[in-house]
PDB file of all heavy atoms in Angstrom:
ATOM      1  N   ILE A 170      35.886  -3.164  24.852  1.00  0.00           N
ATOM      2  CA  ILE A 170      34.785  -3.864  24.165  1.00  0.00           C
ATOM      3  C   ILE A 170      35.200  -4.214  22.741  1.00  0.00           C
ATOM      4  O   ILE A 170      34.994  -5.335  22.272  1.00  0.00           O
ATOM      5  CB  ILE A 170      33.509  -2.981  24.135  1.00  0.00           C
ATOM      6  CG1 ILE A 170      32.935  -2.832  25.550  1.00  0.00           C
ATOM      7  CG2 ILE A 170      32.473  -3.509  23.174  1.00  0.00           C
ATOM      8  CD1 ILE A 170      32.301  -4.082  26.105  1.00  0.00           C
ATOM      9  N   ALA A 412      26.050   1.039  23.932  1.00  0.00           N
ATOM     10  CA  ALA A 412      26.990   0.342  24.828  1.00  0.00           C
ATOM     11  C   ALA A 412      28.351   0.123  24.178  1.00  0.00           C
ATOM     12  O   ALA A 412      29.349  -0.097  24.855  1.00  0.00           O
ATOM     13  CB  ALA A 412      26.397  -0.996  25.265  1.00  0.00           C
ATOM     14  N   PRO A 426      26.295   3.045  29.749  1.00  0.00           N
ATOM     15  CA  PRO A 426      25.085   2.262  29.510  1.00  0.00           C
ATOM     16  C   PRO A 426      25.256   0.822  29.994  1.00  0.00           C
ATOM     17  O   PRO A 426      26.375   0.325  30.091  1.00  0.00           O
ATOM     18  CB  PRO A 426      24.928   2.286  27.983  1.00  0.00           C
ATOM     19  CG  PRO A 426      26.126   2.931  27.429  1.00  0.00           C
ATOM     20  CD  PRO A 426      26.985   3.440  28.521  1.00  0.00           C
ATOM     21  N   VAL A 427      24.144   0.185  30.288  1.00  0.00           N
ATOM     22  CA  VAL A 427      24.169  -1.228  30.667  1.00  0.00           C
ATOM     23  C   VAL A 427      24.589  -2.040  29.450  1.00  0.00           C
ATOM     24  O   VAL A 427      24.114  -1.802  28.340  1.00  0.00           O
ATOM     25  CB  VAL A 427      22.751  -1.663  31.109  1.00  0.00           C
ATOM     26  CG1 VAL A 427      22.746  -3.141  31.510  1.00  0.00           C
ATOM     27  CG2 VAL A 427      22.263  -0.782  32.246  1.00  0.00           C
ATOM     28  N   LEU A 428      25.506  -2.981  29.651  1.00  0.00           N
ATOM     29  CA  LEU A 428      25.943  -3.822  28.523  1.00  0.00           C
ATOM     30  C   LEU A 428      24.835  -4.799  28.147  1.00  0.00           C
ATOM     31  O   LEU A 428      24.286  -5.472  29.012  1.00  0.00           O
ATOM     32  CB  LEU A 428      27.182  -4.631  28.914  1.00  0.00           C
ATOM     33  CG  LEU A 428      28.518  -3.912  29.011  1.00  0.00           C
ATOM     34  CD1 LEU A 428      29.625  -4.924  29.262  1.00  0.00           C
ATOM     35  CD2 LEU A 428      28.829  -3.134  27.736  1.00  0.00           C
ATOM     36  N   PRO A 429      24.519  -4.893  26.866  1.00  0.00           N
ATOM     37  CA  PRO A 429      23.565  -5.929  26.462  1.00  0.00           C
ATOM     38  C   PRO A 429      24.183  -7.319  26.717  1.00  0.00           C
ATOM     39  O   PRO A 429      25.411  -7.443  26.777  1.00  0.00           O
ATOM     40  CB  PRO A 429      23.370  -5.695  24.962  1.00  0.00           C
ATOM     41  CG  PRO A 429      24.253  -4.591  24.574  1.00  0.00           C
ATOM     42  CD  PRO A 429      25.015  -4.108  25.746  1.00  0.00           C
ATOM     43  N   ASP A 430      23.335  -8.322  26.814  1.00  0.00           N
ATOM     44  CA  ASP A 430      23.815  -9.674  27.176  1.00  0.00           C
ATOM     45  C   ASP A 430      24.971 -10.142  26.294  1.00  0.00           C
ATOM     46  O   ASP A 430      25.944 -10.700  26.782  1.00  0.00           O
ATOM     47  CB  ASP A 430      22.666 -10.691  27.071  1.00  0.00           C
ATOM     48  CG  ASP A 430      21.618 -10.414  28.142  1.00  0.00           C
ATOM     49  OD1 ASP A 430      21.929  -9.629  29.073  1.00  0.00           O
ATOM     50  OD2 ASP A 430      20.503 -10.959  28.036  1.00  0.00           O
ATOM     51  N   LEU A 432      27.290  -8.528  24.817  1.00  0.00           N
ATOM     52  CA  LEU A 432      28.581  -7.936  25.173  1.00  0.00           C
ATOM     53  C   LEU A 432      29.024  -8.380  26.560  1.00  0.00           C
ATOM     54  O   LEU A 432      30.200  -8.667  26.784  1.00  0.00           O
ATOM     55  CB  LEU A 432      28.501  -6.407  25.132  1.00  0.00           C
ATOM     56  CG  LEU A 432      28.384  -5.760  23.758  1.00  0.00           C
ATOM     57  CD1 LEU A 432      28.428  -4.239  23.880  1.00  0.00           C
ATOM     58  CD2 LEU A 432      29.501  -6.218  22.827  1.00  0.00           C
ATOM     59  N   ALA A 433      28.090  -8.462  27.495  1.00  0.00           N
ATOM     60  CA  ALA A 433      28.436  -8.867  28.862  1.00  0.00           C
ATOM     61  C   ALA A 433      29.029 -10.274  28.860  1.00  0.00           C
ATOM     62  O   ALA A 433      30.012 -10.548  29.555  1.00  0.00           O
ATOM     63  CB  ALA A 433      27.202  -8.796  29.753  1.00  0.00           C
ATOM     64  N   LEU A 436      32.862 -10.757  28.305  1.00  0.00           N
ATOM     65  CA  LEU A 436      33.856 -10.446  29.330  1.00  0.00           C
ATOM     66  C   LEU A 436      34.481 -11.711  29.924  1.00  0.00           C
ATOM     67  O   LEU A 436      35.613 -11.688  30.380  1.00  0.00           O
ATOM     68  CB  LEU A 436      33.226  -9.603  30.454  1.00  0.00           C
ATOM     69  CG  LEU A 436      32.641  -8.254  30.003  1.00  0.00           C
ATOM     70  CD1 LEU A 436      31.922  -7.563  31.140  1.00  0.00           C
ATOM     71  CD2 LEU A 436      33.732  -7.341  29.450  1.00  0.00           C
TER      72      LEU A 436
END
Side-chain angles (χ1 to χ4, degrees):
I170 291 289
V427 180
L428 286 186
D430 292 347
L432 289 185
L436 300 174

